[in-house]
Amino acid sequence: MPTTHAELVNSPTPIPQQPTTFTLGIRTHTGEAVTQFQRFQEELMHLIIVSEDFQVFQHLHPRYLGEGQFQVTTTLPQGGRYTLIADYKPAGAKETVAMLPVAVQGTPPAAPAPIAQTTQVIDTTAVELKLPQPLKAGLPVAVAFRLRDASTQQPLPDLRPYLGEAGHLVILRATTPLKPSDYLHAHALDRQPKETIVL
């Protein structure tokens, strides 16, 4: 069981397309501020913001203000319900994941049907998901992504590590409300960037 928790120090009501500042406080279960943190993947906190329909996803790194408080300013594109996923590691303790729900003014657009295909084009990059074996709950699996130039289908020649890793993968269960057990953050097995990233 986690020994700390995260809470929103301020209570903003975000408006779509306008900057919003979130201030998060990390406290013990007795209410004391946690003031010492360990860096992991080069940051003190990773903050994932995801909309209820999973159409909006942001991976941010809040600034540490001291006295257990982190702050970040971001712009959310649409109305509806979101979850702030704070991923941090208090000094001498295990990595902790906290879920903070927020509501953005306005009605979210209708969510598109889920995409079942294993290849998608993002900007100019074609990303292909490769599963060497069927997924089964409770068992490890190697998940591979092949990255190519979408127009030429050639491997990308200029991949570089990001936050100390060749690749990062966030997996979220399609459920509401999200719980820490619905979140998984994995990293590439091989730290050397190459055409196929295995996590």
Side-chain angles (χ1 to χ4, degrees), residues 50-56 78 80-83 108 174-178:
V50 62
S51 60
E52 186 177 51
D53 61 6
F54 296 99
Q55 297 305 299
V56 179
Q78 64 186 44
R81 289 184 289 186
Y82 289 73
T83 301
T175 185
T176 302
L178 285 170

Side-chain angles (χ1 to χ4, degrees), residues 13-135:
T13 302
I15 298 174
Q17 304 295 335
Q18 294 188 19
T20 299
T21 297
F22 295 103
T23 304
L24 291 76
I26 308 301
R27 298 186 176 277
T28 67
H29 289 307
T30 57
E32 299 170 334
V34 178
T35 59
Q36 300 295 322
F37 298 87
Q38 291 179 240
R39 290 186 180 274
F40 66 107
Q41 282 76 60
E42 302 183 5
E43 299 289 344
L44 292 179
M45 175 182 284
H46 298 264
L47 182 67
I48 305 297
I49 302 180
V50 62
S51 60
E52 186 177 51
D53 61 6
F54 296 99
Q55 297 305 299
V56 179
F57 178 93
Q58 297 181 359
H59 183 169
L60 309 174
H61 302 111
R63 179 169 57 96
Y64 184 48
L65 304 178
E67 298 301 318
Q69 293 191 10
F70 292 81
Q71 191 173 83
V72 68
T73 299
T74 188
T75 299
L76 301 174
Q78 64 186 44
R81 289 184 289 186
Y82 289 73
T83 301
L84 276 59
I85 306 172
D87 195 344
Y88 60 94
K89 190 174 184 180
K94 294 181 178 180
E95 182 180 342
T96 301
V97 175
M99 304 285 184
L100 300 169
V102 296
V104 178
Q105 290 184 19
T107 302
I115 299 175
Q117 63 198 46
T118 57
T119 300
Q120 290 193 45
V121 175
I122 303 172
D123 295 330
T124 60
T125 301
V127 182
E128 180 185 2
L129 169 64
K130 301 179 74 65
L131 295 172
Q133 62 196 64
L135 298 176

